[in-house]
Amino acid sequence: MAAGVTALLKALGIEPAFAVGHSAGGAIAARMVLDQKIAPRALVGLNAALMPFDGIAGFLFTPIARLLVTVPPVTRLFAWRGSDPRFVERLLRDTGSTIGPEGAAFYARLVGSPKHVAAALGMMANWDLRPLAQALPRLPVPLVLVVGSNDRTTRPSDSRRVRAMVPGSTIVTLPGLGHLAHEERPDHVASILIRLLETTAA
C-alpha cells in the first residue's frame, strides 16, 4: 500500500512537505518515510495504528481475516448487515466516536458495499505491523501523535508506547474524542493540525 501511494504521488508530481495519516494511514505514511519515498518536515499520526495487536488478538487477527476473505458469502453477508442502521451505529459506537446522521449514512454506504468489505478484509489479511514497529525508532522526521482519549480502535496506550520508542516524538491528546475524532470535531482537529504544521515550518 505504501508503494501504491508512492506511485500515485509520483504520477501527480507531488512531494509532500508534511504527512498526516489517520489510523492505518499513519502506518502507511511512516513506512513511506522510513523507505525514503517521501521526506516531509514532520509526520502526524491521527489515532495512528502503528503497533501490532498484542496477545491472542494478534495471534488470531490475520489468520481469521485471511480465512474470511476467501469466503465470498461472508463479505456479502456483512454488506447485507450494513443495510441495518442499528448495525452501522454499533460499529461506529465501537470506535469510541459519535458522529452525525450524515456521516453515519456515508459509513452505511461503505459497509453495504461487498467490494469495499472484501477490500478491507484483504488489507487486514496482509496487515503485519511488526517490521514497522521495529523500524520506528529510526524514523528520521519529527513524529506527532494526535490521540483521541476515547479511541477504542487504536488504544491511546499504543501511542504512549510509540512515544517511548521514537526519540523526540510527542503526543497531543483530544479529550473525549474517539477514533473518528476528525469527523466528530473537524474544526478542532484542523486547528490543531494547522498549528502543528506552522510550528514545524517555523
Side-chain angles (χ1 to χ4, degrees):
M1 294 173 75
V5 177
T6 298
L8 174 62
L9 292 178
K10 184 176 181 181
L12 295 174
I14 293 174
E15 296 182 7
F18 298 93
V20 182
H22 170 251
S23 193
I28 293 168
R31 185 76 267 168
M32 293 168 69
V33 172
L34 286 163
D35 292 344
Q36 300 181 335
K37 303 301 183 183
I38 57 174
R41 296 177 184 175
L43 170 61
V44 179
L46 178 56
N47 287 324
L50 300 174
M51 298 298 292
F53 287 113
D54 290 331
I56 192 67
F59 180 73
L60 294 176
F61 179 77
T62 298
I64 289 176
R66 285 177 179 160
L67 174 64
L68 294 178
V69 80
T70 62
V71 184
V74 171
T75 59
R76 290 195 294 270
L77 175 62
F78 195 91
W80 173 75
R81 289 293 308 279
S83 63
D84 182 351
R86 292 171 299 179
F87 178 68
V88 177
E89 288 171 9
R90 187 162 62 251
L91 286 176
L92 292 173
R93 189 168 57 247
D94 287 345
T95 69
S97 288
T98 302
I99 63 174
E102 184 179 5
F106 281 120
Y107 278 102
R109 287 171 57 185
L110 286 176
V111 176
S113 166
K115 289 184 177 180
H116 178 79
V117 172
L121 286 173
M123 183 195 82
M124 295 174 190
N126 295 283
W127 197 248
D128 182 6
L129 289 178
R130 288 170 297 179
L132 176 65
Q134 293 170 359
L136 277 176
R138 301 195 301 273
L139 198 69
V141 301
L143 173 65
V144 180
L145 300 166
V146 181
V147 180
S149 65
N150 199 39
D151 188 349
R152 299 177 192 165
T153 303
T154 56
R155 296 171 301 181
S157 59
D158 283 351
S159 292
R160 292 192 290 271
R161 289 170 60 197
V162 172
R163 180 180 58 183
M165 293 167 50
V166 181
S169 59
T170 57
I171 289 179
V172 177
T173 301
L174 305 174
L177 299 183
H179 192 63
L180 306 176
H182 55 298
E183 297 180 48
E184 292 181 276
R185 289 289 311 279
D187 53 341
H188 181 48
V189 173
S191 67
I192 289 174
L193 293 178
I194 290 170
R195 186 166 64 250
L196 287 171
L197 302 185
E198 289 175 343
T199 301
T200 305

